[in-house]
Amino acid sequence: MQAEHSRSGEQGAARHEAEGPGLHARPLGWLRAVLQVALKVAYPLMILCAWRWDSPRYIGAALFALLWLQRWAGTGTFAKSLRQLTATDWCVVGLLSCASAGIVLSGSELLLHLYPSFVNLGLLVAFSATLVHGPSMIEKFARMGNPELGAHAVRYTRRVTQMWCVFFILNGAFSAYTALFWTPAAWSLYNGAIAYGLIGVLLVGEIAWRYLAVLPRAARSEAA
């Protein structure tokens, strides 16, 4: 920084240094958040439209790029995303990377149609691993908003994590069934839209159960 020639110049420069990073960081933060949402929406849209594109290799390449773009958008730099991968993360990312690379190399439509099943398998591995080593996946999410969780809340979040594991097993198995026996259009509709509708129903149902049954029961227990 150049030498200031007056006290007001020093104050102005200091104020610029203090405010400048925040002003620049805020738009970047919004941009990253928008990018994260766009990348999450891109996957089901890609699957929903896949039956119209007679090019499994291109879709496989797009899935591979999307997988790593999601990690970059969530962590910042590519190198940082690699450093943050746990052994479980490597298993999941490796599985999906190999699946998408296999689609590119083989051009197999069947392998492309099985990709959503691999996604469910990856999510199952990620969620079930937290049940073994703890804390559970849903407990991690809950502590982002409330770091001080009681024993009752910890048990509940563990049960919700188990519920999601069951969902991933059932949805992954049915997704494989659609890949093997349904038409491409029906497969695309289920895996790109209906499956996400089921996820939404499960989320809303869990939230309703929590507020209508779990939290009132916990409040009564504390009052007693």
Side-chain angles (χ1 to χ4, degrees):
M1 183 182 291
Q2 296 179 347
E4 288 78 14
H5 300 289
S6 67
R7 183 176 180 82
S8 61
E10 293 174 356
Q11 292 174 342
R15 186 165 55 251
H16 175 74
E17 290 182 0
E19 296 176 355
L23 293 174
H24 288 292
R26 191 174 302 171
L28 288 176
W30 277 104
L31 180 61
R32 190 174 296 280
V34 171
L35 181 60
Q36 288 175 2
V37 173
L39 290 173
K40 286 178 172 61
V41 173
Y43 171 72
L45 288 178
M46 193 179 302
I47 296 299
L48 191 59
C49 299
W51 72 277
R52 287 182 167 271
W53 303 332
D54 188 22
S55 52
R57 282 190 170 91
Y58 292 129
I59 299 173
L63 289 171
F64 184 88
L66 187 62
L67 175 66
W68 287 101
L69 279 172
Q70 287 173 338
R71 290 211 59 81
W72 170 82
T75 56
T77 64
F78 184 76
K80 185 177 180 181
S81 72
L82 293 180
R83 288 196 298 271
Q84 291 185 346
L85 287 175
T86 64
T88 302
D89 292 332
W90 273 114
C91 290
V92 174
V93 173
L95 168 69
L96 297 180
S97 296
C98 289
S100 54
I103 297 169
V104 173
L105 295 174
S106 67
S108 170
E109 186 175 341
L110 176 59
L111 189 55
L112 171 62
H113 288 181
L114 287 172
Y115 188 87
S117 298
F118 296 142
V119 171
N120 279 274
L121 177 59
L123 290 169
L124 174 62
V125 170
F127 274 63
S128 60
T130 65
L131 293 173
V132 176
H133 303 291
S136 69
M137 185 69 76
I138 302 302
E139 180 184 343
K140 292 180 181 179
F141 294 153
R143 287 190 183 277
M144 292 179 183
N146 181 18
E148 301 298 328
L149 289 180
H152 178 79
V154 170
R155 288 193 298 271
Y156 177 74
T157 53
R158 182 176 179 83
R159 286 196 294 269
V160 175
T161 303
Q162 293 170 339
M163 176 193 72
W164 279 108
C165 288
V166 172
F167 174 81
F168 294 138
I169 292 172
L170 296 177
N171 190 53
F174 192 76
S175 176
Y177 176 81
T178 66
L180 296 172
F181 301 107
W182 284 18
T183 64
W187 164 84
S188 181
L189 179 63
Y190 177 79
N191 291 282
I194 296 175
Y196 287 87
L198 294 176
I199 291 173
V201 169
L202 196 57
L203 283 170
V204 172
E206 187 277 318
I207 292 172
W209 174 257
R210 188 195 321 158
Y211 281 96
L212 295 177
V214 177
L215 292 179
R217 188 186 308 158
R220 288 194 298 270
S221 299
E222 291 178 359

